[in-house]
Amino acid sequence: MSATAVHSLWTTAGGLTSAAPVEKFKAPVIEYTQLTPVLIVIGVAVVGVLVEAFVPRRARYYTQVFLTVVALAAAFAAVIGLAVGGYGTTKAHIAAMGAIAIDGPTLFLQGTILLTSLVAVFTFAERRLDPAAHGNHVDSFAAQAASVPGSDSEKAAVRAGFTTTEVFPLVLFSVAGMLVFPAANDLLTLFVALEVFSLPLYLLCAVARRKRLMSQEAAVKYFLLGAFSSAFLLFGIALMYGYAGSVSYAAIANVVDGSVTQIDPALADTMGNDALLLIGGAMILTGLLFKVGAVPFHMWTPDVYQGAPTPVTGFMAAATKVAAFGALLRLLYVVLPGLAWDWRPVMWAVAIVTMLGGAIVAITQTDIKRLLAYSSIAHAGFILAGVIATTPDGISSVLFYLGAYSFVTVGAFAVVTLVRDAGGEATHLSKWAGLGRRSPLVAAVFAVFLLAFAGIPLTSGFSGKFAVFKAAADGGAGGLVVVGVISSAIAAFFYIRVIVLMFFSEPKADGPTVAVPSPLTMTTIAVGVAVTLVLGLAPQYFLDLASQAGVFVR
């Protein structure tokens, strides 16, 4: 058979005849201007990878720090530019062929993630806390991540003054994923963004300079449990596609509402099948609640927070929560508002066990990083109370709380890096006894952060909790507010216990010292304190900003 005959068979089988006009392929329309923040961060991350390959080892640290800070600042400027241009309000729309939503919540959350990351990156760049090794400054990260802990190759890398400067491009890739995650407007974009920001975090958790085995164990736990949550999310997406015949948020919402008239014949058997909707929705929610750190999907949090290098813990605790809650809000408010009767009781239960579980278990902790991890679980429960409100005030209160919480968290973990003994950071609570007498300023700053976590008036924590609980009460979730107040009272006990330990205990003779940081970490802590006090004393402007940014584009 000749080639022509085969070709004609193929075109006929494909439903084409040689006479039929071939439809031209349409190029996708991408609004690059509105994607500028993400493009800047990804572009500089790629440049950072090239820096590792081509720039001499001595110059890499300064090059990477400069590039990272410039990238995050430029991306933040781009977000402000979009907000000023009206893309958060009047010009809010769906961009990138339906994949990304550019609206108020997107820009608010992207701005929060970029500012938090910028402040967190200063702690990554800190090189004054540890004594110099062989005449070289050292940071929190392993000299050579690929070498076995304690091996000759690791010792040789330390002697040679190697540093893992790859952490900076990894942070940028992670931030890029976080910027897309709350903006995703279809389920596939959501999944890709989840993987883009999770994979660099798994690596970052494993590269601690001190306690390397604990750090690697934390990374493996995070990776394995993260893979489970990704699998749940992906399986949920498959079921949701079977239910709606589309992965687009708007299309799924239309099928849930029953406003779809045309049914795809290939999906006629499954489309509109409620079992697929409920199981698929539950699986997607499971994947997102894992990232948020809500009970019962929280088991990775304390181990990973304790084992990861402290700068990474601070970055992860703040930025991941902002991105994950943004995605959760969009899913519940844009895709599944028609299903609120089904998901609200489940989320009630999750919020209650998260608030109480985080607060009660935190009382038993003896390690400061584990204590802050359980505190972050309790805070996830408080934020869920705002999510459950299902009112415009619910959205804006969650946005405000995320902004306030992220800076307090980064600041608190930055303080943890300063208290050190011969083995590195002194994270056992007994070591913090009498810190207020040794270093009154550091203890006072940490006390401010703890009071903000506890929600004491005149701190950002009080403004955030008040906004979230008020929205929940107005939205008919008064019972949840009662549980939230009880949980806050339990949580206040262990925060105040640490303050009492620092100021009213005798310092031990062999206690830790407080390292004097460079201006980088000082900036991180100063910004944390400033935001905590400003949002506590004069929150109205920022609450108004959050309420203006609280409308999702559909």
Side-chain angles (χ1 to χ4, degrees):
M1 192 185 285
S2 70
T4 340
V6 172
H7 179 71
S8 69
L9 276 175
W10 174 72
T11 49
T12 316
L16 291 169
T17 61
S18 50
V22 179
E23 199 174 315
K24 280 188 180 172
F25 177 75
K26 281 185 183 161
V29 181
I30 308 289
E31 296 86 340
Y32 291 106
T33 321
Q34 287 130 58
L35 303 179
T36 317
V38 182
L39 296 176
I40 290 172
V41 174
I42 286 189
V44 178
V46 172
V47 173
V49 174
L50 296 175
V51 165
E52 288 299 315
F54 296 110
V55 172
R57 196 181 288 278
R58 290 260 167 234
R60 279 181 208 166
Y61 164 80
Y62 297 103
T63 311
Q64 294 283 26
V65 172
F66 175 75
L67 281 175
T68 307
V69 169
V70 167
L72 294 170
F76 181 70
V79 168
I80 298 293
L82 289 172
V84 170
Y87 285 102
T89 48
T90 49
K91 291 189 193 169
H93 70 122
I94 307 297
M97 304 289 287
I100 302 283
I102 306 291
D103 55 13
T106 292
L107 296 179
F108 190 94
L109 292 164
Q110 286 185 342
T112 306
I113 290 166
L114 287 163
L115 271 187
T116 309
S117 306
L118 181 60
V119 174
V121 158
F122 291 148
T123 60
F124 280 71
E126 178 59 64
R127 301 181 94 179
R128 277 205 206 158
L129 299 179
D130 268 319
H134 306 285
N136 297 299
H137 291 296
V138 295
D139 53 21
S140 304
F141 303 101
Q144 196 169 30
S147 55
V148 176
S151 66
D152 291 340
S153 65
E154 184 183 50
K155 289 169 189 164
V158 172
R159 275 197 302 277
F162 288 3
T163 52
T164 305
T165 44
E166 295 94 322
V167 293
F168 294 104
L170 284 173
V171 164
L172 287 178
F173 279 121
S174 188
V175 169
M178 289 177 193
L179 295 180
V180 176
F181 199 55
N185 193 55
D186 69 47
L187 293 172
L188 283 183
T189 308
L190 183 81
F191 177 71
V192 171
L194 174 78
E195 293 306 303
V196 169
F197 85 74
S198 297
L199 293 172
L201 285 178
Y202 302 149
L203 292 174
L204 286 169
C205 288
V207 293
R209 179 175 287 272
R210 311 282 188 121
K211 301 178 181 160
R212 283 198 63 198
L213 288 173
M214 186 197 266
S215 167
Q216 290 175 358
E217 180 194 347
V220 170
K221 281 180 178 168
Y222 191 21
F223 172 64
L224 291 175
L225 290 168
F228 268 115
S229 85
S230 296
F232 270 109
L233 187 81
L234 204 52
F235 203 2
I237 290 170
L239 294 176
M240 204 59 110
Y241 179 75
Y243 167 79
S246 172
V247 289
S248 158
Y249 282 7
I252 297 169
N254 288 340
V255 180
V256 174
D257 295 343
S259 55
V260 167
T261 48
Q262 236 180 340
I263 289 187
D264 186 339
L267 293 164
D269 293 340
T270 60
M271 206 162 163
N273 181 332
D274 285 349
L276 288 182
L277 171 66
L278 293 170
I279 298 168
M283 288 183 135
I284 294 172
L285 275 181
T286 300
L288 293 177
L289 289 172
F290 173 89
K291 280 293 166 205
V292 161
V295 179
F297 314 107
H298 68 294
M299 293 315 296
W300 61 277
T301 312
D303 291 342
V304 174
Y305 279 28
Q306 185 185 11
T310 306
V312 174
T313 308
F315 165 67
M316 190 166 68
T320 307
K321 249 195 184 45
V322 177
F325 267 110
L328 186 65
L329 274 177
R330 192 176 295 278
L331 184 81
L332 294 178
Y333 280 62
V334 175
V335 186
L336 302 175
L339 205 63
W341 285 105
D342 296 288
W343 63 252
R344 272 192 81 177
V346 177
M347 296 298 274
W348 260 71
V350 170
I352 288 170
V353 294
T354 303
M355 287 190 282
L356 288 173
I360 291 167
V361 180
I363 294 173
T364 64
Q365 299 306 310
T366 55
D367 183 279
I368 196 85
K369 284 169 82 175
R370 288 184 81 86
L371 186 141
L372 290 174
Y374 279 105
S375 134
S376 92
I377 292 168
H379 281 282
F382 300 141
I383 301 172
L384 281 172
V387 173
I388 290 166
T390 57
T391 59
D393 280 353
I395 301 174
S396 56
S397 69
V398 169
L399 295 180
F400 178 81
Y401 199 123
L402 289 170
Y405 170 82
S406 56
F407 285 98
V408 180
T409 305
V410 171
F413 280 106
V415 174
V416 172
T417 63
L418 304 184
V419 183
R420 308 178 89 78
D421 57 17
E425 287 158 12
T427 56
H428 199 279
L429 270 180
S430 61
K431 302 272 180 78
W432 288 60
L435 190 72
R437 302 190 187 183
R438 284 222 167 121
S439 183
L441 181 63
V442 169
V445 165
F446 198 60
V448 168
F449 291 138
L450 289 175
L451 292 172
F453 281 136
I456 302 298
L458 303 184
T459 63
S460 59
F462 174 77
S463 310
K465 272 187 189 162
F466 183 80
V468 164
F469 288 163
K470 182 177 180 298
D474 294 348
L480 208 55
V481 176
V482 174
V483 177
V485 171
I486 294 169
S487 303
S488 293
I490 297 170
F493 166 76
F494 62 79
Y495 295 127
I496 290 166
R497 190 185 74 181
V498 177
I499 295 173
V500 169
L501 183 76
M502 289 193 298
F503 287 101
F504 301 104
S505 300
E506 283 298 322
K508 290 181 182 171
D510 60 341
T513 56
V514 174
V516 178
S518 70
L520 292 167
T521 299
M522 287 180 190
T523 305
T524 302
I525 296 170
V527 169
V529 172
V531 171
T532 303
L533 295 177
V534 168
L535 294 188
L537 296 167
Q540 197 53 51
Y541 171 76
F542 298 95
L543 284 165
D544 293 343
L545 193 67
S547 64
Q548 284 168 20
V551 182
F552 286 108
V553 65
R554 283 181 169 76

